[in-house]
Amino acid sequence: MTSLTDKTRTLDALFSRTRLLPLLNIERLDDVLPLADALAEGGVNTLEITLRTALGIEAIALLRAERPALTIGAGTVLGAEQYQAVLAAGAQFVVTPGCTDELLQCGLDGPVPLLPGIATASELMVGYRLGYRRFKLFPAHIIGGVGLLKAFSGPFKDARFCPTGGVSQDNLAAYLALSNVMAVGGSWIAPAELIAQQRWGEITALAHAAGQVGSA
């Protein structure tokens, strides 16, 4: 069984290569490959496919089969049954909007890293007690954003975060400037309207622009 420490190292290695994590809600399976290609052309090679739509698991399996050079995670995982389903589809990491005892145990027992969602210091401490040191902060901007992350850096010096929820091109630099932010996630890199209209070139441009901030 892969240790939690090793899974933490895996996340650190992943986000040392890219600090952007686009959250993708797939409405049409035909969009999956051109969307992934558009993002990759813009320099974004790590994707989170959410389970907010019925096609999420199928999209993960398709990307793992057809685009093996990309790193594909599963998001909006709400329970153990979904956790096992995304593993079977080939997800290389799992992201949750919140943390439950059930999901934290899945992350301990499973073969891939889990990035549990937290919104408070108390939730963080539940994961922290089990050995988790990497978390998703959600919904980041509503609950304090940059200020909250700065506050967390005091008592939780070895915790690092991927804030999502309200992150945009306008505030991206402020988040990425924080030492305890390893990456940021959001849907602004590939907005639903651009996906629906198959405006792949514009998505590539957005990915490139976000990447320029992330590498500055």
Side-chain angles (χ1 to χ4, degrees):
M1 184 174 68
T2 307
S3 72
L4 193 54
T5 299
D6 287 338
K7 292 169 192 169
T8 299
R9 291 193 186 106
T10 297
L11 286 174
D12 288 347
L14 171 63
F15 290 120
S16 71
R17 298 193 297 269
T18 176
R19 299 185 70 194
L20 300 172
L21 183 62
L23 278 58
L24 307 178
N25 303 315
I26 303 301
E27 301 286 354
R28 298 179 304 218
L29 209 57
D30 287 347
D31 291 336
V32 172
L33 295 181
L35 172 58
D37 291 343
L39 289 164
E41 188 176 343
V44 176
N45 298 301
T46 299
L47 314 178
E48 178 186 327
I49 306 298
T50 78
L51 300 193
R52 295 184 183 186
T53 74
L55 295 175
I57 290 174
E58 198 172 348
I60 292 168
L62 177 63
L63 284 167
R64 293 290 287 125
E66 299 294 332
R67 297 295 185 271
L70 301 179
T71 302
I72 308 301
T76 323
V77 174
L78 303 180
E81 186 175 347
Q82 287 186 331
Y83 180 90
Q84 295 303 328
V86 299
L87 287 189
Q92 292 161 286
F93 62 95
V94 177
V95 186
T96 67
C99 61
T100 63
D101 291 341
E102 177 187 58
L103 282 168
L104 290 171
Q105 192 62 48
C106 286
L108 292 175
D109 296 339
V112 302
L114 174 73
L115 197 63
I118 62 100
T120 67
S122 295
E123 291 171 334
L124 194 164
M125 288 173 68
V126 172
Y128 200 92
R129 179 177 62 84
L130 296 174
Y132 285 91
R133 295 294 184 269
R134 303 294 179 262
F135 301 90
K136 168 180 174 171
L137 183 72
F138 176 81
H141 210 60
I142 294 171
I143 60 176
V146 168
L148 180 60
L149 288 161
K150 286 180 178 178
F152 279 169
S153 69
F156 308 110
K157 295 185 183 301
D158 55 349
R160 300 185 72 206
F161 302 89
C162 177
T164 72
V167 180
S168 68
Q169 189 70 22
D170 292 336
N171 58 28
L172 177 61
Y175 280 103
L176 290 176
L178 300 178
S179 61
N180 62 346
V181 169
M182 61 182 179
V184 296
S187 58
W188 91 94
I189 304 172
E193 62 270 23
L194 295 188
I195 298 173
Q197 296 167 27
Q198 300 183 324
R199 291 155 63 183
W200 309 128
E202 291 177 54
I203 289 174
T204 295
L206 286 171
H208 180 73
Q212 292 298 105
V213 174
S215 61

